[in-house]
Amino acid sequence: MTGASGSGHALGLETLIRLKRDRRSSSADGAFGSFPVPDGMTAPLGCDAVAVPARLGPLVVPRLPRVGCVYADGTHWWWIVPTDSDDALTWPAPARYGPGAQLPGAARLIHRPEGTVPYTPPIPLYLALCRVTGTTPEWSRPLSA
């Protein structure tokens, strides 16, 4: 892959990811980046959120090796995952992926993990959501010709 300037320089994966993050953080609406990290916790990998209807939340919890911070408002649960956990993944409907972990004002913390990081591991969360929604994981689907 060559740079847009036609200089012949290749752009590496790390550069492309950094550019994507830079674009997110400079969003015109300024909505990205605010996340209510509980006291005593840090988010060294940034934060995004995966929203699921509240009825699915209790079905997902027992399928996870670790549950990070989970927020709820009565209609949805939001699972906090590291930034860019949507790279190369299409989260199964009705889940919605939200860059910047923007949560509605009515959302409250319903689960806080032990330790200092707020994350639910994204791959186990993805697989648990595939299981409870009856969706085949992307990498298991047949390639179409």
Side-chain angles (χ1 to χ4, degrees):
M1 177 185 306
T2 60
S5 65
S7 64
H9 295 284
L11 295 177
L13 182 58
E14 289 179 26
T15 301
L16 293 173
I17 290 171
R18 183 181 48 77
L19 290 171
K20 179 180 174 183
R21 285 183 182 154
D22 290 348
R23 189 184 78 225
R24 278 186 183 176
S25 65
S26 64
S27 172
D29 64 6
F32 299 118
S34 64
F35 170 74
V37 176
D39 288 340
M41 297 192 103
T42 62
L45 302 176
C47 291
D48 288 348
V50 177
V52 301
R55 65 181 166 75
L56 296 179
L59 302 174
V60 171
V61 170
R63 298 175 186 280
L64 296 172
R66 179 185 192 281
V67 178
C69 287
V70 180
Y71 290 80
D73 71 354
T75 60
H76 288 88
W77 286 23
W78 287 267
W79 305 82
I80 304 308
V81 295
T83 298
D84 294 327
S85 293
D86 62 336
D87 281 349
L89 282 181
T90 301
W91 289 80
R96 292 187 328 264
Y97 189 86
Q102 294 300 303
L103 304 172
R108 69 188 199 312
L109 185 66
I110 62 169
H111 183 268
R112 179 192 169 129
E114 291 185 26
T116 61
V117 293
Y119 308 123
T120 295
I123 297 301
L125 178 59
Y126 172 82
L127 292 171
L129 286 169
C130 284
R131 182 70 164 201
V132 301
T133 62
T135 304
T136 302
E138 260 186 11
W139 54 77
S140 297
R141 295 180 192 149
L143 298 174
S144 58

